[in-house]
Amino acid sequence: MRALETIFSRLFVAFKWLSLLVAAGMLVLFVGPLWNKWVVYPRLEEEIMTQRGLYRTPERLIPLESYQGALHAHTYWSHDSRGILEEILPAAKAANVEFIFLSDHKRNALDSFPRSYHGLYEGILFEAGTESNNLMISPLRDVVLDWNIGEGALIRQVVNEGGLALYVHTEVPHDWKNPDYQGMEIYNIHTDFKDEGGKLIGFVANSLVNAGKYRHWAYREIFDEQTEIHALWDSLNQHRKIVGYGAPDVHNNQSIRARYLTDGLVEWVGPNAKTITIRKSNWIDKLLFGNPDEAGWVFKAELDTYFHSFQYVQTHIFADSLHSGSLKDHLVRGHAFVSFESMLDAKGFEYLATDGYGEVLGIMGDEVALADIDRLEASSPYPVKFELIKDGKVIKTSESTYDFSYQPKLPGNYRLTARIPLGGEWVPWVYTNPIYIR
Ligand SMILES: [Zn+2]
């Protein structure tokens, strides 16, 4: 009897310590997220509202329309996404996205176009494309491509026939000397997410606690400046023009979701859009399920929604019209900049070169002669800190101004970063392509 008592009392002590340990663990895990919810994010939100109050209608000098959108996004056509138009369209509209260049994973070496979504849907332009082996191509025409011919030959074919070939996931090795690819990601959400490592559990806990109105701030917890990739980009541009752009790389697949199939069956879908189970609906389902959303999901706990990814990072392209051909032509010319739109909408931001009469000689991405140029000029709808970067080095900054002006005396590649004040730091908001002074 005494032995039993001893066992019970020991078990009780062990249980007590275990509970304490779990409670301490939960406290450590959720203290940060709750602090963010009650203190940090409301403060950031207030700072951004103050910034928004400083909006100034920008002067328009660039004689082209500007369109903003997503380069690199996945749909149901990829093995690791279930995304359909019914959820992509409202997300795109809410995030001010005007075009989406898709990058679905190919199903076969023989890759046929067009497919899945392409064309205008309620005013939003979709273009079909493939991502494979860290290469993204959009042929922009009816064609069957053969990936077996090898990457170099495929890039050449796509580019020669008027399509687009871009290097994605630029944190991993590529054939940087390939003479035909046109651009590279200088920011990709997934690239940035990969370096979180040990902070991952904290990120998930924070995302759960802040899944509501502060989800865009929780999402931005992954943000790191991609200094190595930018250094690589600058060095590649010493040899030939390589256009930089931003990629949401959205799959909408880091989630647990459920939906009804026919015959009272329920499908539970887990991370990477994989089916967890298909079975008869039971009482637990009925307890958890709500009304179906636009895509038919009756339950969802998700991290990477289309809306938040689209809003996070966008590429603005100065083009003639909202057509794939025009967007592609101008993107390839470097008439583009990257912006982090969950903070502020960058529409109206301009960066250009003028001559002695104040006439526009060229815009971001263009090559201009040193003999002709008088000034590099930029204007922003919000006051920012401009950083002028020549051949990879910051050569001039100006804080809290709407306008920027610089008289270049030397040839080189001049690009701009615009930063906004946030949480006591100057956070990057816009990255332009360089103006190439020769
Ligand atoms: Zn991708």
Side-chain angles (χ1 to χ4, degrees):
M1 197 64 189
R2 180 155 300 165
L4 208 61
E5 261 171 39
T6 318
I7 289 172
F8 268 126
S9 84
R10 280 193 184 153
L11 269 177
F12 180 72
V13 170
F15 178 75
K16 209 168 72 181
W17 278 108
L18 198 69
S19 314
L20 265 172
L21 221 64
V22 170
M26 296 290 266
L27 201 71
V28 170
L29 201 58
F30 287 102
V31 148
L34 288 170
W35 180 255
N36 285 340
K37 187 185 176 85
W38 292 323
V39 180
V40 179
Y41 296 159
R43 205 182 285 158
L44 292 179
E45 201 67 23
E46 212 177 287
E47 283 185 48
I48 281 298
M49 292 317 281
T50 308
Q51 287 280 315
R52 285 192 190 142
L54 299 174
Y55 178 83
R56 181 199 70 170
T57 309
E59 199 186 346
R60 284 191 52 189
L61 292 175
I62 294 180
L64 290 163
E65 294 300 319
S66 90
Y67 300 99
Q68 60 199 88
L71 299 169
H72 193 163
H74 296 262
T75 71
Y76 75 91
W77 217 87
S78 298
H79 66 271
D80 54 0
S81 175
R82 299 286 184 106
I84 55 173
L85 213 51
E86 286 77 355
E87 57 198 337
I88 299 173
L89 268 185
K93 282 181 194 164
N96 295 327
V97 157
E98 297 169 281
F99 63 83
I100 302 171
F101 275 55
L102 296 172
S103 54
D104 283 309
H105 299 300
K106 70 181 195 298
R107 295 182 178 181
N108 291 293
L110 291 180
D111 199 8
S112 52
F113 294 88
R115 55 152 196 255
S116 84
Y117 305 127
H118 62 280
L120 275 180
Y121 297 83
E122 297 177 29
I124 296 173
L125 181 75
F126 284 66
E127 184 55 51
T130 299
E131 176 191 11
S132 186
N133 213 7
N134 302 316
L135 169 67
M136 173 180 157
I137 49 107
S138 279
L140 307 187
R141 64 195 205 96
D142 300 1
V143 66
V144 180
L145 296 174
D146 183 1
W147 285 76
N148 285 326
I149 65 174
E151 190 174 292
L154 184 75
I155 295 174
R156 194 170 314 129
Q157 182 192 343
V158 168
V159 170
N160 285 347
E161 292 172 353
L164 187 63
L166 305 168
Y167 277 179
V168 303
H169 293 289
T170 47
E171 76 281 12
V172 301
H174 287 68
D175 178 12
W176 301 113
K177 290 204 183 84
N178 175 294
D180 300 308
Y181 75 98
Q182 296 142 316
M184 65 184 277
E185 290 174 349
I186 57 167
Y187 188 88
N188 172 314
I189 294 179
H190 189 241
T191 296
D192 202 352
F193 185 70
K194 270 160 75 176
D195 64 20
E196 295 311 294
K199 292 183 277 179
L200 208 58
I201 296 171
F203 174 76
V204 173
N206 190 50
S207 301
L208 290 174
V209 171
N210 292 293
K213 64 174 177 172
Y214 295 134
R215 195 202 282 265
H216 53 294
W217 293 117
Y219 219 64
R220 271 194 61 85
E221 290 292 338
I222 65 161
F223 181 82
D224 294 295
E225 293 207 44
Q226 302 296 307
T227 42
E228 276 176 38
I229 288 172
H230 289 194
L232 172 67
W233 179 43
D234 286 325
S235 76
L236 292 169
N237 268 294
Q238 294 295 313
H239 306 285
R240 71 176 179 92
K241 186 192 293 183
I242 302 292
V243 175
Y245 68 95
D249 195 4
V250 58
H251 292 72
N252 192 20
N253 69 355
Q254 294 312 307
S255 50
I256 294 171
R257 294 176 289 183
R259 63 177 177 182
Y260 284 109
L261 304 177
T262 47
D263 301 333
L265 292 177
V266 161
E267 180 188 20
W268 279 88
V269 179
N272 300 322
K274 290 210 168 60
T275 301
I276 301 171
T277 180
I278 293 176
R279 55 162 170 70
K280 280 246 171 299
S281 169
N282 62 29
W283 65 272
I284 301 176
D285 297 339
K286 294 202 171 83
L287 216 64
L288 289 172
F289 292 172
N291 289 326
D293 74 357
E294 58 276 76
W297 300 109
V298 287
F299 174 88
K300 53 183 182 181
E302 46 187 2
L303 287 181
D304 60 332
T305 68
Y306 277 107
F307 169 71
H308 290 90
S309 298
F310 282 152
Q311 196 201 34
Y312 185 119
V313 62
Q314 294 184 13
T315 303
H316 292 241
I317 304 176
F318 292 95
D320 305 295
S321 61
L322 189 61
H323 289 94
S324 300
S326 177
L327 291 174
K328 174 245 145 190
D329 284 345
H330 286 278
L331 175 67
V332 166
R333 290 166 71 181
H335 295 167
F337 67 86
V338 177
S339 67
F340 296 98
E341 295 275 321
S342 64
M343 299 186 292
L344 295 169
D345 182 5
K347 197 172 266 304
F349 191 97
E350 295 198 342
Y351 174 47
L352 47 99
T354 54
D355 65 13
Y357 303 100
E359 297 291 322
V360 179
L361 274 180
I363 68 168
M364 58 190 90
D366 286 339
E367 196 174 304
V368 294
L370 183 62
D372 301 334
I373 192 172
D374 181 47
R375 289 185 174 276
L376 291 170
E377 291 187 50
S379 66
S380 163
Y382 301 97
V384 294
K385 176 183 179 182
F386 289 100
E387 272 177 10
L388 183 65
I389 298 150
K390 175 183 177 286
D391 303 319
K393 288 196 185 66
V394 177
I395 58 161
K396 190 193 171 178
T397 60
S398 76
E399 273 183 25
S400 308
T401 56
Y402 291 94
D403 300 300
F404 178 85
S405 177
Y406 179 79
Q407 203 152 29
K409 298 276 180 263
L410 294 168
N413 303 341
Y414 293 79
R415 63 178 179 87
L416 268 184
T417 295
R419 296 173 182 272
I420 55 169
L422 196 68
E425 281 178 70
W426 288 101
V427 177
W429 170 53
V430 163
Y431 299 124
T432 75
N433 271 280
I435 291 176
Y436 302 83
I437 303 180
R438 297 291 181 255

